[in-house]
Amino acid sequence: MTDIRFDDQVAVITGAGHGLGRTYALEFARRGAAVVVNDLGVDVHGVGSGPAAQVVVDEITKAGGRAVANMDSVATPEGGKAIIDTAVEAFGRVDIVINNAGILRDKSFHNLSFQELDDILDVHLRGAFYVSQPAFKVMREQKYGRFIFTSSAAGLFGNFGQTNYSAAKMGLVGLSNTIAIEGARNGIQSNAIAPIARTRLTEELLGPMAELLDAEYVTPLALYLCSRDCTLSHEIFSVGAGRYARVFVGDAQGWFSGKGNVPSVEDIAENMEQIRDLSTYTVPGNAQDELALLAPLLS
Ligand code: NAI
């Protein structure tokens, strides 16, 4: 197979000063992309600031690659726009955006403050919106673009102590899905990934498996989804330690109460097994696809 390259393309990676984002930035640069390395340089709780972005840029340029650092926060509309402006000013276009910046504010639901909810929504969900909207406008003009939104098993499946983070991470799936739908006519594709990797964000959470969970395992899938020949969009992937798997939101075939027949509560109770049965399902491509499942039943 010929090498998958990103020559003449521009990749913006948020939170690329550490962990997963750093590995993406290094690999994009190795494969020819010009990279905007965005990072505030904060700690895992979003506190402080530091030169993490510039350190990664230095690593890239020393190896012969092209990169610029950006230290704006994704968590404000101005920051998001400044990140994309950096790409356009330095390299003239934006082909790829990986929304990756992240922090944690873990606490059990009954103890979580509104501030801790906002802090997480601001960086993960609103941050991805603030960065992606100006990028989307550039991509529409170019008629080309690739987005990745970084979700999490905590959002897709739930995780104790992470209600704020889970809500943000599932929100990102919705954001990615609809950007995929709206972007399709202009060559813009969007996918979500749920990584499992040993980084400073997770080093205390992963237990004995941590040593096998190098961030580098996530990188090939992320780059593949951003490549020119990849036609996938509107999908979700779980990735970690060398396991790569599609995750999906599907509709079971369900139970139909009959045209014009409003069932009783007891009817629901009696048919719950069939309502929940997963032996036949579809994965709708959009909300209309789901509505269309009703058509044969109502005709
Ligand atoms: P990390 O802490 O190594 O990297 C996150 C980076 O985001 C840091 O360099 C940090 O400075 C930067 N950042 C934080 N707030 C920012 C802001 N407002 N603006 C710009 N940069 C900011 O963590 P890791 O694990 O590499 O996380 C990357 C993404 O992957 C995050 O979205 C995280 O939630 C997600 N994720 C990671 C998992 C894992 O197993 N490591 C599991 C599931 C999701």
Side-chain angles (χ1 to χ4, degrees):
M1 190 179 186
T2 51
D3 286 356
I4 293 177
R5 305 257 332 154
F6 298 89
D7 302 302
D8 305 322
Q9 294 200 317
V10 179
V12 175
I13 312 188
T14 69
H18 296 103
L20 290 162
R22 176 178 166 276
T23 70
Y24 306 151
L26 295 176
E27 190 62 19
F28 271 117
R30 258 196 293 272
R31 289 174 180 266
V35 183
V36 175
V37 178
N38 158 261
D39 207 295
L40 261 184
V42 290
D43 69 12
V44 291
H45 304 294
V47 178
S49 68
Q54 190 58 50
V55 171
V56 174
V57 167
D58 291 346
E59 208 174 335
I60 290 172
T61 46
K62 211 187 244 174
R66 289 193 302 153
V68 293
N70 171 285
M71 288 185 60
D72 286 295
S73 174
V74 300
T76 66
E78 299 75 29
K81 184 173 180 309
I83 293 165
I84 299 307
D85 285 348
T86 298
V88 174
E89 280 157 24
F91 303 120
R93 52 187 290 127
V94 180
D95 299 284
I96 293 155
V97 171
I98 301 193
N99 288 290
N100 168 80
I103 58 168
L104 292 176
R105 288 274 193 288
D106 294 356
K107 215 175 252 183
S108 49
F109 185 41
H110 62 284
N111 288 322
L112 197 76
S113 69
F114 297 140
Q115 188 59 53
E116 286 159 334
L117 171 64
D118 270 343
D119 291 344
I120 288 293
L121 292 179
D122 282 349
V123 174
H124 290 273
L125 184 57
R126 294 197 184 94
F129 189 104
Y130 298 146
V131 173
S132 300
Q133 195 182 48
F136 189 87
K137 291 177 185 174
V138 177
M139 291 172 179
R140 280 185 83 227
E141 296 294 314
Q142 296 170 176
K143 304 242 173 288
Y144 183 89
R146 300 281 185 267
F147 283 104
I148 290 189
F149 291 85
T150 310
S151 185
S152 164
L156 298 172
F157 309 116
N159 200 30
F160 194 97
Q162 294 197 305
T163 43
N164 49 356
Y165 184 77
S166 304
K169 289 305 199 186
M170 199 55 172
L172 287 166
V173 173
L175 183 56
S176 175
N177 283 344
T178 295
I179 286 177
I181 290 166
E182 292 192 14
R185 73 181 71 161
N186 286 308
I188 300 168
Q189 295 169 195
S190 181
N191 293 287
I193 61 171
I196 310 169
R198 183 188 67 253
T199 66
R200 58 188 203 151
L201 214 60
T202 54
E203 58 197 350
E204 285 163 22
L205 310 170
L206 295 172
M209 267 198 289
E211 66 182 76
L212 299 171
L213 288 162
D214 288 346
E216 280 74 12
Y217 283 110
V218 180
T219 310
L221 177 72
L223 267 74
Y224 171 72
L225 292 172
C226 294
S227 61
R228 287 185 181 89
D229 291 344
C230 175
T231 56
L232 301 178
S233 193
H234 196 280
E235 298 202 2
I236 311 164
F237 295 90
S238 171
V239 42
R243 175 179 176 270
Y244 304 85
R246 183 176 176 189
V247 175
F248 57 89
V249 179
D251 256 57
Q253 183 176 329
W255 169 75
F256 182 49
S257 65
K259 188 175 171 183
N261 182 34
V262 178
S264 65
V265 181
E266 291 75 16
D267 289 334
I268 298 296
E270 268 165 35
N271 289 286
M272 190 45 78
E273 201 174 324
Q274 196 181 333
I275 291 169
R276 298 183 64 249
D277 179 38
L278 297 181
S279 53
T280 308
Y281 62 83
T282 54
V283 181
N286 55 41
Q288 284 72 35
D289 277 4
E290 208 222 9
L291 197 60
L293 297 174
L294 292 175
L297 301 174
L298 299 178
S299 61

